[in-house]
Each structure stands twice: as structure tokens, then as C-alpha cells.
């Protein structure tokens, strides 16, 4: 069974709640990644149900704001790899905050599956320092 097909523009949580943040993420990731992320946000909200939906919306917005703020800083290793950044709300918020503030090697574990982790490393590539890692 595949995922339901949702029109990303109709269900764009960030576009409605934080339009400036949405524009910045769109400019960084491009159309395809941004729309895929918007659909994943909506699916997570649907799975959370009515009672948890509003706190999850806040968590998503907070996580994406942290990711964008760090990316915009321009510091070495300031940007999460796009496949990880585009679903950053799914990682534990305290680990995400610590990882983004350290700008170095770190580990992120998933909220719902703590045994599932991603290891990030600050490496020199093409004359600059970047965070590298592969999503789980």
C-alpha cells in the first residue's frame, strides 16, 4: 500500500503558519523536496489525530525554524544535509537543538523509534566544512 497522494500546496503547514520560513526552505531545498516535506508533515499530522495535532504543528514549526536559522548563519557545518533537514521534526528536539548548536559531530534519534539514529559528521569538502550523514 502506497502513501496517499496529497496536493502539497493545499496542505502546506509552513506556508500557512510561517510563510517567510516556508519561502526560505523552498529557496534552499527547491520545489520537489519542499513539496515532499510538506506532504510528509501533513501525513504526520493526520496520523497524530485531532488531540495531538496542534502540539505537533508547533513542534514542526520550531524544528524547521531551528534548521533554517542555523543554515542561514553561514557558519562551518551549519546546514543539515537536505534529506535530513527536510524531515527534521521527526528527530528528538533536544538532540536536534544540541546538534545544530554544536556545528560538529552529533547523533540524532527518531522521536517514535529511538533506536533509529543518524550520525552526522563535520567534514571538509570542496574547500568548505559541511555536515554529512545519511537519513535512516
Amino acid at each position: 500500500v502506497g502513501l496517499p497522494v496529497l496536493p502539497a500546496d493545499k496542505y502546506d503547514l509552513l506556508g500557512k503558519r510561517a510563510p517567510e520560513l516556508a519561502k526560505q526552505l523552498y529557496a534552499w531545498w527547491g520545489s520537489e523536496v519542499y513539496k515532499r516535506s510538506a506532504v510528509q508533515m501533513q501525513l504526520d499530522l493526520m496520523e497524530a489525530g485531532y488531540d495531538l495535532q496542534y502540539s505537533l504543528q508547533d513542534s514542526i514549526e520550531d524544528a524547521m525554524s531551528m534548521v533554517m536559522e542555523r543554515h542561514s548563519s553561514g557558519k562551518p557545518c551549519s546546514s543539515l544535509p537536505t534529506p535530513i533537514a527536510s524531515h527534521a521534526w521527526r528527530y528528538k528536539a533536544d538532540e536536534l537543538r544540541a546538534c545544530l548548536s554544536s556545528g560538529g559531530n552529533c547523533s540524532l534519534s527518531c522521536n517514535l523509534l529511538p533506536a533509529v539514529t543518524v550520525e552526522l559528521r563535520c567534514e571538509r569538502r570542496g574547500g568548505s566544512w559541511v555536515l554529512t550523514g545519511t537519513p535512516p
Side-chain angles (χ1 to χ4, degrees):
V1 172
L3 293 174
V5 177
L6 300 172
D9 55 344
K10 183 176 179 184
Y11 296 103
D12 184 358
L13 170 71
L14 294 178
K16 292 176 183 167
R17 287 180 52 125
E20 188 57 36
L21 174 60
K23 287 179 195 173
Q24 292 170 333
L25 291 170
Y26 188 94
W28 174 18
W29 298 340
S31 175
E32 184 179 329
V33 173
Y34 181 85
K35 287 179 179 180
R36 196 170 342 131
S37 181
V39 167
Q40 291 300 312
M41 287 176 198
Q42 186 60 33
L43 290 172
D44 284 2
L45 288 167
M46 289 167 46
E47 288 178 1
Y50 184 79
D51 292 340
L52 300 175
Q53 159 176 303
Y54 294 106
S55 65
L56 181 56
Q57 286 177 354
D58 292 341
S59 296
I60 291 171
E61 187 176 343
D62 290 346
M64 302 317 277
S65 293
M66 281 191 290
V67 166
M68 191 66 227
E69 185 178 309
R70 179 67 183 170
H71 172 74
S72 298
S73 75
K75 295 178 182 176
C77 295
S78 61
S79 296
L80 289 174
T82 301
I84 295 168
S86 64
H87 63 271
W89 73 91
R90 290 180 171 164
Y91 298 105
K92 291 185 177 182
D94 57 336
E95 292 177 5
L96 179 63
R97 190 173 294 104
C99 185
L100 291 171
S101 65
S102 76
N105 299 346
C106 58
S107 176
L108 297 172
S109 53
C110 294
N111 280 319
L112 299 176
L113 299 168
V116 177
T117 63
V118 60
E119 299 295 324
L120 296 167
R121 293 166 303 287
C122 185
E123 298 178 350
R124 188 156 182 88
R125 291 224 176 135
S128 62
W129 289 92
V130 297
L131 276 175
T132 62
T134 305

